[in-house]
Amino acid sequence: VQHRFNRSPPVFLCTLAPARPDENIRRILEVLARKNKRNPLLMGVYAKNALRGFVEMVRNGRGGSVLGSELRVVCLEREIGEFVKKGGSGEEKFGVRLKELEQCESSGSGVVVSFGEIEVFLGDDVDVDAVRFVFSGLTRLLEIRGEKVSLLGVAETSHAYSKLLGLFPNVENDWDLHLLTVTSATPS
């Protein structure tokens, strides 16, 4: 006996785009909206996933609706990685990139600069002077652009963060960092 149903194919919840950001992204947006400690450093093994999800959400045009203004993400992770591993060669090129960010006009919009994983600054194959150049450039960017620019990065382990503090003891204050532990890989 063959049964025929006049029904639509089933809709699975996993195929629907979420109407609002997942819990990790919501927490990142809360930190970005603060007046103090407004630059999130995502901590934990799921931090990279949260960063990717946040960048994707903003690039798909859904970030501004949450914060109430236009939001843009600039990812510098690849450029930073290449710069610090090449011993700082290309300082002029990387410096120009930072200058562009310092001078960008963002009428009412905010720019989130993703510097990626802090582990990129800590490897044995990086030039310490190049790392200092990047840190001073990002610090200057925050000083010049004020609340129009935020930094966002990832530390998979507390050991990596401690090592970073050994190199730059004032980074937490200079960058107005908020350590945000990411404990979930999936949207909540």
Side-chain angles (χ1 to χ4, degrees), residues 22 24-25 28 42 45-60 62 73 75 77 114 116-117 152-154 156 182 185:
D22 72 42
N24 292 325
I25 293 172
I28 293 169
L42 310 179
V45 294
Y46 302 117
K48 281 194 282 189
N49 291 340
L51 176 63
R52 278 193 291 270
F54 174 79
V55 169
E56 182 180 312
M57 180 200 72
V58 172
R59 288 198 171 150
N60 289 334
R62 296 180 300 178
V73 174
C75 294
E77 181 174 6
S114 171
E117 301 175 54
L152 176 62
V154 170
E156 281 194 18
V182 179

mmCIF file of all heavy atoms in Angstrom, residues 22 24-25 28 42 45-60 62 73 75 77 114 116-117 152-154 156 182 185:
data_model
loop_
_atom_site.group_PDB
_atom_site.id
_atom_site.type_symbol
_atom_site.label_atom_id
_atom_site.label_comp_id
_atom_site.label_asym_id
_atom_site.label_seq_id
_atom_site.Cartn_x
_atom_site.Cartn_y
_atom_site.Cartn_z
ATOM 1 N N ASP A 22 23.954 34.306 17.695
ATOM 2 C CA ASP A 22 24.081 33.300 18.738
ATOM 3 C C ASP A 22 24.641 33.927 20.009
ATOM 4 O O ASP A 22 25.016 35.098 20.033
ATOM 5 C CB ASP A 22 24.899 32.101 18.253
ATOM 6 C CG ASP A 22 26.388 32.380 18.093
ATOM 7 O OD1 ASP A 22 26.971 33.055 18.956
ATOM 8 O OD2 ASP A 22 26.969 31.910 17.115
ATOM 9 N N ASN A 24 27.461 33.592 21.713
ATOM 10 C CA ASN A 24 28.829 34.118 21.676
ATOM 11 C C ASN A 24 28.878 35.466 20.973
ATOM 12 O O ASN A 24 29.525 36.401 21.448
ATOM 13 C CB ASN A 24 29.760 33.135 20.965
ATOM 14 C CG ASN A 24 29.959 31.863 21.744
ATOM 15 O OD1 ASN A 24 29.996 31.874 22.974
ATOM 16 N ND2 ASN A 24 30.061 30.746 21.051
ATOM 17 N N ILE A 25 28.197 35.587 19.861
ATOM 18 C CA ILE A 25 28.187 36.843 19.112
ATOM 19 C C ILE A 25 27.467 37.920 19.911
ATOM 20 O O ILE A 25 27.905 39.073 19.947
ATOM 21 C CB ILE A 25 27.567 36.640 17.717
ATOM 22 C CG1 ILE A 25 28.478 35.738 16.882
ATOM 23 C CG2 ILE A 25 27.332 37.980 17.025
ATOM 24 C CD1 ILE A 25 27.895 35.303 15.564
ATOM 25 N N ILE A 28 29.917 39.256 22.373
ATOM 26 C CA ILE A 28 30.910 40.111 21.722
ATOM 27 C C ILE A 28 30.305 41.487 21.477
ATOM 28 O O ILE A 28 30.921 42.519 21.767
ATOM 29 C CB ILE A 28 31.393 39.486 20.392
ATOM 30 C CG1 ILE A 28 32.187 38.206 20.657
ATOM 31 C CG2 ILE A 28 32.225 40.495 19.596
ATOM 32 C CD1 ILE A 28 32.479 37.382 19.414
ATOM 33 N N LEU A 42 38.867 37.209 22.862
ATOM 34 C CA LEU A 42 38.134 35.963 23.050
ATOM 35 C C LEU A 42 39.093 34.880 23.527
ATOM 36 O O LEU A 42 40.145 34.674 22.921
ATOM 37 C CB LEU A 42 37.464 35.551 21.737
ATOM 38 C CG LEU A 42 36.644 36.630 21.042
ATOM 39 C CD1 LEU A 42 36.058 36.101 19.737
ATOM 40 C CD2 LEU A 42 35.564 37.157 21.950
ATOM 41 N N VAL A 45 39.139 27.438 23.554
ATOM 42 C CA VAL A 45 39.300 26.622 22.350
ATOM 43 C C VAL A 45 38.246 26.928 21.285
ATOM 44 O O VAL A 45 38.465 26.658 20.113
ATOM 45 C CB VAL A 45 39.307 25.112 22.683
ATOM 46 C CG1 VAL A 45 40.518 24.745 23.506
ATOM 47 C CG2 VAL A 45 38.033 24.700 23.367
ATOM 48 N N TYR A 46 37.118 27.482 21.673
ATOM 49 C CA TYR A 46 36.065 27.813 20.707
ATOM 50 C C TYR A 46 36.105 29.280 20.279
ATOM 51 O O TYR A 46 35.237 29.747 19.539
ATOM 52 C CB TYR A 46 34.689 27.493 21.288
ATOM 53 C CG TYR A 46 34.539 26.044 21.687
ATOM 54 C CD1 TYR A 46 34.314 25.688 23.004
ATOM 55 C CD2 TYR A 46 34.643 25.032 20.737
ATOM 56 C CE1 TYR A 46 34.189 24.360 23.375
ATOM 57 C CE2 TYR A 46 34.523 23.701 21.100
ATOM 58 C CZ TYR A 46 34.297 23.377 22.422
ATOM 59 O OH TYR A 46 34.175 22.068 22.774
ATOM 60 N N ALA A 47 37.106 30.008 20.732
ATOM 61 C CA ALA A 47 37.192 31.446 20.460
ATOM 62 C C ALA A 47 37.305 31.745 18.969
ATOM 63 O O ALA A 47 36.686 32.681 18.466
ATOM 64 C CB ALA A 47 38.360 32.055 21.228
ATOM 65 N N LYS A 48 38.092 30.939 18.232
ATOM 66 C CA LYS A 48 38.239 31.184 16.790
ATOM 67 C C LYS A 48 36.904 31.027 16.071
ATOM 68 O O LYS A 48 36.597 31.788 15.164
ATOM 69 C CB LYS A 48 39.276 30.234 16.183
ATOM 70 C CG LYS A 48 40.691 30.672 16.434
ATOM 71 C CD LYS A 48 41.681 29.926 15.567
ATOM 72 C CE LYS A 48 41.937 28.544 16.115
ATOM 73 N NZ LYS A 48 43.036 27.848 15.459
ATOM 74 N N ASN A 49 36.105 30.033 16.490
ATOM 75 C CA ASN A 49 34.785 29.846 15.883
ATOM 76 C C ASN A 49 33.899 31.057 16.129
ATOM 77 O O ASN A 49 33.164 31.494 15.236
ATOM 78 C CB ASN A 49 34.099 28.597 16.436
ATOM 79 C CG ASN A 49 34.769 27.319 16.004
ATOM 80 O OD1 ASN A 49 35.511 27.304 15.024
ATOM 81 N ND2 ASN A 49 34.535 26.255 16.740
ATOM 82 N N ALA A 50 33.953 31.587 17.334
ATOM 83 C CA ALA A 50 33.140 32.764 17.664
ATOM 84 C C ALA A 50 33.588 33.968 16.840
ATOM 85 O O ALA A 50 32.757 34.731 16.347
ATOM 86 C CB ALA A 50 33.229 33.068 19.159
ATOM 87 N N LEU A 51 34.898 34.131 16.675
ATOM 88 C CA LEU A 51 35.422 35.230 15.870
ATOM 89 C C LEU A 51 34.945 35.105 14.425
ATOM 90 O O LEU A 51 34.461 36.071 13.833
ATOM 91 C CB LEU A 51 36.951 35.266 15.928
ATOM 92 C CG LEU A 51 37.635 36.320 15.052
ATOM 93 C CD1 LEU A 51 37.247 37.729 15.469
ATOM 94 C CD2 LEU A 51 39.138 36.138 15.093
ATOM 95 N N ARG A 52 35.058 33.904 13.863
ATOM 96 C CA ARG A 52 34.604 33.684 12.483
ATOM 97 C C ARG A 52 33.110 33.964 12.340
ATOM 98 O O ARG A 52 32.672 34.582 11.367
ATOM 99 C CB ARG A 52 34.921 32.257 12.035
ATOM 100 C CG ARG A 52 36.340 32.081 11.556
ATOM 101 C CD ARG A 52 36.520 30.754 10.839
ATOM 102 N NE ARG A 52 36.419 29.606 11.724
ATOM 103 C CZ ARG A 52 37.446 29.062 12.372
ATOM 104 N NH1 ARG A 52 38.648 29.560 12.226
ATOM 105 N NH2 ARG A 52 37.283 28.025 13.151
ATOM 106 N N GLY A 53 32.327 33.501 13.313
ATOM 107 C CA GLY A 53 30.886 33.743 13.279
ATOM 108 C C GLY A 53 30.555 35.223 13.344
ATOM 109 O O GLY A 53 29.666 35.710 12.633
ATOM 110 N N PHE A 54 31.283 35.956 14.171
ATOM 111 C CA PHE A 54 31.064 37.395 14.291
ATOM 112 C C PHE A 54 31.395 38.102 12.978
ATOM 113 O O PHE A 54 30.617 38.920 12.484
ATOM 114 C CB PHE A 54 31.909 37.968 15.433
ATOM 115 C CG PHE A 54 31.846 39.462 15.510
ATOM 116 C CD1 PHE A 54 30.750 40.085 16.082
ATOM 117 C CD2 PHE A 54 32.859 40.248 14.987
ATOM 118 C CE1 PHE A 54 30.668 41.472 16.129
ATOM 119 C CE2 PHE A 54 32.792 41.622 15.033
ATOM 120 C CZ PHE A 54 31.683 42.248 15.612
ATOM 121 N N VAL A 55 32.555 37.787 12.405
ATOM 122 C CA VAL A 55 32.977 38.420 11.146
ATOM 123 C C VAL A 55 31.964 38.123 10.046
ATOM 124 O O VAL A 55 31.558 39.012 9.296
ATOM 125 C CB VAL A 55 34.404 37.962 10.744
ATOM 126 C CG1 VAL A 55 34.751 38.385 9.334
ATOM 127 C CG2 VAL A 55 35.428 38.492 11.737
ATOM 128 N N GLU A 56 31.527 36.885 9.969
ATOM 129 C CA GLU A 56 30.541 36.497 8.954
ATOM 130 C C GLU A 56 29.224 37.260 9.135
ATOM 131 O O GLU A 56 28.637 37.743 8.171
ATOM 132 C CB GLU A 56 30.288 34.988 9.036
ATOM 133 C CG GLU A 56 29.329 34.474 7.996
ATOM 134 C CD GLU A 56 29.123 32.976 8.133
ATOM 135 O OE1 GLU A 56 30.130 32.245 8.256
ATOM 136 O OE2 GLU A 56 27.965 32.550 8.125
ATOM 137 N N MET A 57 28.783 37.385 10.376
ATOM 138 C CA MET A 57 27.536 38.094 10.641
ATOM 139 C C MET A 57 27.640 39.554 10.184
ATOM 140 O O MET A 57 26.742 40.068 9.525
ATOM 141 C CB MET A 57 27.193 38.051 12.132
ATOM 142 C CG MET A 57 25.889 38.771 12.452
ATOM 143 S SD MET A 57 25.728 39.230 14.179
ATOM 144 C CE MET A 57 26.911 40.556 14.287
ATOM 145 N N VAL A 58 28.744 40.216 10.515
ATOM 146 C CA VAL A 58 28.916 41.621 10.137
ATOM 147 C C VAL A 58 29.033 41.754 8.623
ATOM 148 O O VAL A 58 28.417 42.635 8.017
ATOM 149 C CB VAL A 58 30.135 42.244 10.846
ATOM 150 C CG1 VAL A 58 30.435 43.632 10.302
ATOM 151 C CG2 VAL A 58 29.901 42.293 12.344
ATOM 152 N N ARG A 59 29.791 40.872 8.001
ATOM 153 C CA ARG A 59 29.964 40.945 6.541
ATOM 154 C C ARG A 59 28.660 40.663 5.797
ATOM 155 O O ARG A 59 28.485 41.112 4.672
ATOM 156 C CB ARG A 59 31.070 40.006 6.100
ATOM 157 C CG ARG A 59 32.422 40.556 6.522
ATOM 158 C CD ARG A 59 33.546 39.955 5.778
ATOM 159 N NE ARG A 59 34.774 40.687 6.089
ATOM 160 C CZ ARG A 59 35.964 40.153 6.084
ATOM 161 N NH1 ARG A 59 36.108 38.888 5.763
ATOM 162 N NH2 ARG A 59 37.012 40.878 6.368
ATOM 163 N N ASN A 60 27.765 39.929 6.425
ATOM 164 C CA ASN A 60 26.450 39.677 5.820
ATOM 165 C C ASN A 60 25.470 40.806 6.105
ATOM 166 O O ASN A 60 24.294 40.700 5.781
ATOM 167 C CB ASN A 60 25.871 38.352 6.313
ATOM 168 C CG ASN A 60 26.601 37.158 5.738
ATOM 169 O OD1 ASN A 60 27.195 37.241 4.668
ATOM 170 N ND2 ASN A 60 26.556 36.037 6.433
ATOM 171 N N ARG A 62 24.465 42.031 9.097
ATOM 172 C CA ARG A 62 23.579 41.897 10.252
ATOM 173 C C ARG A 62 24.150 42.483 11.531
ATOM 174 O O ARG A 62 23.510 42.464 12.558
ATOM 175 C CB ARG A 62 23.233 40.432 10.482
ATOM 176 C CG ARG A 62 22.443 39.847 9.325
ATOM 177 C CD ARG A 62 22.115 38.424 9.566
ATOM 178 N NE ARG A 62 23.377 37.694 9.713
ATOM 179 C CZ ARG A 62 23.462 36.415 9.974
ATOM 180 N NH1 ARG A 62 22.396 35.711 10.137
ATOM 181 N NH2 ARG A 62 24.622 35.825 10.080
ATOM 182 N N VAL A 73 34.003 45.306 9.641
ATOM 183 C CA VAL A 73 35.130 44.545 10.186
ATOM 184 C C VAL A 73 36.278 44.579 9.193
ATOM 185 O O VAL A 73 36.082 44.370 8.003
ATOM 186 C CB VAL A 73 34.746 43.076 10.464
ATOM 187 C CG1 VAL A 73 35.960 42.271 10.883
ATOM 188 C CG2 VAL A 73 33.682 42.979 11.522
ATOM 189 N N CYS A 75 39.865 42.698 8.769
ATOM 190 C CA CYS A 75 40.683 41.589 9.277
ATOM 191 C C CYS A 75 42.143 41.804 8.862
ATOM 192 O O CYS A 75 42.453 41.846 7.676
ATOM 193 C CB CYS A 75 40.175 40.261 8.730
ATOM 194 S SG CYS A 75 38.541 39.830 9.322
ATOM 195 N N GLU A 77 44.637 39.826 10.328
ATOM 196 C CA GLU A 77 45.359 38.651 10.814
ATOM 197 C C GLU A 77 46.424 38.170 9.826
ATOM 198 O O GLU A 77 47.579 37.952 10.199
ATOM 199 C CB GLU A 77 44.378 37.517 11.117
ATOM 200 C CG GLU A 77 45.048 36.277 11.639
ATOM 201 C CD GLU A 77 44.047 35.214 12.080
ATOM 202 O OE1 GLU A 77 42.838 35.391 11.886
ATOM 203 O OE2 GLU A 77 44.507 34.212 12.629
ATOM 204 N N SER A 114 40.082 43.190 13.463
ATOM 205 C CA SER A 114 40.410 41.862 13.964
ATOM 206 C C SER A 114 41.881 41.599 13.716
ATOM 207 O O SER A 114 42.328 41.560 12.573
ATOM 208 C CB SER A 114 39.556 40.808 13.255
ATOM 209 O OG SER A 114 40.013 39.515 13.595
ATOM 210 N N GLY A 116 43.292 38.840 14.911
ATOM 211 C CA GLY A 116 43.438 37.386 14.882
ATOM 212 C C GLY A 116 43.959 36.815 16.187
ATOM 213 O O GLY A 116 43.669 37.315 17.267
ATOM 214 N N GLU A 117 44.738 35.763 16.056
ATOM 215 C CA GLU A 117 45.236 35.033 17.220
ATOM 216 C C GLU A 117 46.492 35.688 17.785
ATOM 217 O O GLU A 117 47.406 36.012 17.043
ATOM 218 C CB GLU A 117 45.569 33.596 16.835
ATOM 219 C CG GLU A 117 44.393 32.825 16.289
ATOM 220 C CD GLU A 117 44.805 31.451 15.806
ATOM 221 O OE1 GLU A 117 45.421 30.701 16.590
ATOM 222 O OE2 GLU A 117 44.513 31.151 14.645
ATOM 223 N N LEU A 152 39.634 43.352 18.135
ATOM 224 C CA LEU A 152 39.065 42.043 18.448
ATOM 225 C C LEU A 152 40.102 40.991 18.110
ATOM 226 O O LEU A 152 40.690 41.012 17.026
ATOM 227 C CB LEU A 152 37.791 41.817 17.623
ATOM 228 C CG LEU A 152 37.089 40.476 17.732
ATOM 229 C CD1 LEU A 152 36.606 40.220 19.156
ATOM 230 C CD2 LEU A 152 35.916 40.424 16.760
ATOM 231 N N GLY A 153 40.354 40.098 19.059
ATOM 232 C CA GLY A 153 41.336 39.047 18.820
ATOM 233 C C GLY A 153 41.011 37.802 19.619
ATOM 234 O O GLY A 153 40.007 37.743 20.329
ATOM 235 N N VAL A 154 41.905 36.815 19.487
ATOM 236 C CA VAL A 154 41.690 35.493 20.070
ATOM 237 C C VAL A 154 42.942 35.037 20.810
ATOM 238 O O VAL A 154 44.050 35.227 20.319
ATOM 239 C CB VAL A 154 41.364 34.456 18.953
ATOM 240 C CG1 VAL A 154 41.384 33.046 19.478
ATOM 241 C CG2 VAL A 154 40.038 34.769 18.301
ATOM 242 N N GLU A 156 43.765 31.318 22.441
ATOM 243 C CA GLU A 156 43.214 29.986 22.712
ATOM 244 C C GLU A 156 43.491 29.514 24.130
ATOM 245 O O GLU A 156 42.706 28.768 24.689
ATOM 246 C CB GLU A 156 43.759 28.970 21.705
ATOM 247 C CG GLU A 156 43.059 29.032 20.377
ATOM 248 C CD GLU A 156 43.349 27.823 19.518
ATOM 249 O OE1 GLU A 156 43.797 26.776 20.033
ATOM 250 O OE2 GLU A 156 43.129 27.933 18.308
ATOM 251 N N VAL A 182 34.999 32.037 25.835
ATOM 252 C CA VAL A 182 34.041 31.383 24.946
ATOM 253 C C VAL A 182 34.059 29.904 25.285
ATOM 254 O O VAL A 182 35.061 29.228 25.093
ATOM 255 C CB VAL A 182 34.400 31.619 23.464
ATOM 256 C CG1 VAL A 182 33.411 30.920 22.552
ATOM 257 C CG2 VAL A 182 34.472 33.105 23.164
ATOM 258 N N ALA A 185 30.793 25.936 21.387
ATOM 259 C CA ALA A 185 31.109 25.964 19.960
ATOM 260 C C ALA A 185 29.872 26.214 19.107
ATOM 261 O O ALA A 185 29.967 26.571 17.956
ATOM 262 C CB ALA A 185 31.738 24.660 19.547
#
